[in-house]
Amino acid sequence: MDETRRWWEATAAYFQDETNISVGLDWGPGVPEGTLDILPPVKNRTVLELGCGGGQLGVGVAERGASQVVGVDFSRAQLGFAAELVADRGVPMALVEGDVTQAPVRSDWADIVVSAYVAQWVPDLTAMFSEAARILRPGGVFVCSLPHPFYGVFDPEDGSFRRSYHEPGALRFSEDGIDVEQVLHYRRISDIFEAVQAAGLDLERVAEPGDADPAAYEDQWDSKPELMAHVPRTLVFRASLPEG
Ligand SMILES: C[S@@+](CC[C@H](N)C(=O)[O-])C[C@H]1O[C@@H](n2cnc3c(N)ncnc32)[C@H](O)[C@@H]1O
C-alpha cells in the first residue's frame, strides 16, 4: 500500500479527534467560505470532493442543497468517519474509495469539484488537477485549498527557516508510535499555477486569507499566531474548465 495511504490509515482516528473539524464550508482552519466567497452556489449542483476525509466539507455542501455529492478518498479509516457523518446527517453524499489522481467517477459528471487540504500529500499535482478537469463538465468550477507555499518555508514551531522556497520537493516526518513516515510535498506558487494550466483549467482567482494581527489566530487549530501574522497558512484558488 502507498505510504501516504498507510499514514492516513494509521492516523485517521487521531486526526479526527484532534482537529474536531466542524461540518460546513471551510477551506482550512480559520478559513470559512463566508470570508472568501470563492465557491459558486451549490444548490442543485453535482459536486465531487477529492480527498473527502471525514466528510465535513462534502456534508456541508450537501446540506446547502447540492443534488448529489461524491466524496473520494483512499483511506478506509477516513471514509469510515465520513460514512458515520453522512448517516447521521442523512444527506445525499456517496463515498468512494479511490485515489484523487484516478478517481472512480465518470467524466463530465460534476458541476463543481472541491478539495480542501489534500494536494500537499499528492506527489503528482498535475495528475490530481487533470482528474478534476476530466470529471468536470465544461464551464464547471474547481475550488482547491492547500498549505500556502510560503508557510512551508518556516518551521512552524519557532519560525526559523526549514527549507528553501526555491527547492520544491518532498519532506519526510516521523512521529513516535507511527511506523510510517508522513511525506509532504512542497511547491512554489508557479508550480501550482503550472499544474492548473497543464490540466487545461483556467485560473480565475487566488485567495491568501490572513491577518497581520497575531491575536486573530488565537482560537484556531494548530495555530502559530506569530508566523501566521507574517505569512499566510492557506492558499485557495478557483479554476474553471473552459466551455467547448
Ligand atoms: C487533511 S485531510 C482533508 C480532509 C477534508 N478535505 C477536510 O478538509 O477535512 C486529507 C485527506 O486526503 C486524503 N488523501 C491524501 N492523498 C490522497 C490520494 N492520493 N488519494 C485519495 N485521498 C488522498 C487522506 O486520506 C485524507 O483523508
Side-chain angles (χ1 to χ4, degrees):
M1 192 192 286
D2 171 275
E3 63 181 340
T4 293
R5 189 172 169 189
R6 282 207 290 131
W7 187 85
W8 274 102
E9 298 298 17
T11 58
Y14 170 80
F15 176 81
Q16 293 298 333
D17 191 45
E18 174 78 8
T19 57
N20 196 20
I21 299 169
S22 54
V23 177
L25 306 186
D26 288 292
W27 300 111
V31 190
E33 161 63 14
T35 60
L36 297 186
D37 200 17
I38 199 165
L39 183 69
V42 298
K43 193 161 176 55
N44 298 325
R45 300 288 171 197
T46 49
V47 181
L48 168 69
E49 182 176 10
L50 289 175
C52 65
Q56 295 91 346
L57 173 60
V59 167
V61 167
E63 288 185 339
R64 276 157 188 79
S67 56
Q68 176 71 59
V69 182
V70 173
V72 173
D73 203 289
F74 66 7
S75 162
R76 286 188 184 177
Q78 287 281 77
L79 288 172
F81 288 106
E84 277 175 32
L85 184 63
V86 168
D88 186 47
R89 301 288 184 129
V91 289
M93 179 170 179
L95 300 166
V96 187
E97 185 181 327
D99 196 289
V100 297
T101 62
Q102 281 183 305
V105 177
R106 70 177 159 81
S107 302
D108 211 11
W109 175 81
D111 297 310
I112 298 168
V113 176
V114 295
S115 186
Y117 266 83
V118 176
Q120 69 269 33
W121 278 285
V122 180
D124 186 345
L125 206 55
T126 301
M128 175 182 173
F129 293 174
S130 297
E131 209 46 357
R134 178 186 69 76
I135 296 164
L136 277 175
R137 295 189 175 134
V141 167
F142 177 39
V143 180
C144 180
S145 73
L146 67 167
H148 195 289
F150 292 170
Y151 196 74
V153 169
F154 302 95
D155 183 327
E157 296 309 323
D158 61 11
S160 62
F161 291 126
R162 175 162 76 180
R163 47 173 291 278
S164 169
Y165 181 80
H166 304 295
E167 290 179 348
L171 284 190
R172 311 180 75 89
F173 301 90
S174 49
E175 286 147 85
D176 289 344
I178 303 174
D179 67 353
V180 57
E181 289 179 322
Q182 181 183 21
V183 185
L184 292 175
H185 300 272
Y186 292 86
R187 278 109 184 179
R188 296 165 296 196
I189 299 226
S190 53
D191 299 320
I192 297 167
F193 177 67
E194 282 169 19
V196 169
Q197 273 197 323
L201 295 163
D202 290 340
L203 190 63
E204 291 185 343
R205 209 179 130 194
V206 174
E208 300 172 294
D211 193 305
D213 180 1
Y217 306 104
E218 264 160 22
D219 297 329
Q220 292 175 21
W221 176 72
D222 201 26
S223 174
K224 312 292 177 206
E226 272 305 320
L227 178 55
M228 290 162 69
H230 288 84
V231 283
R233 170 151 76 161
T234 304
L235 182 143
V236 191
F237 70 81
R238 183 175 71 209
S240 63
L241 187 67
E243 303 263 6

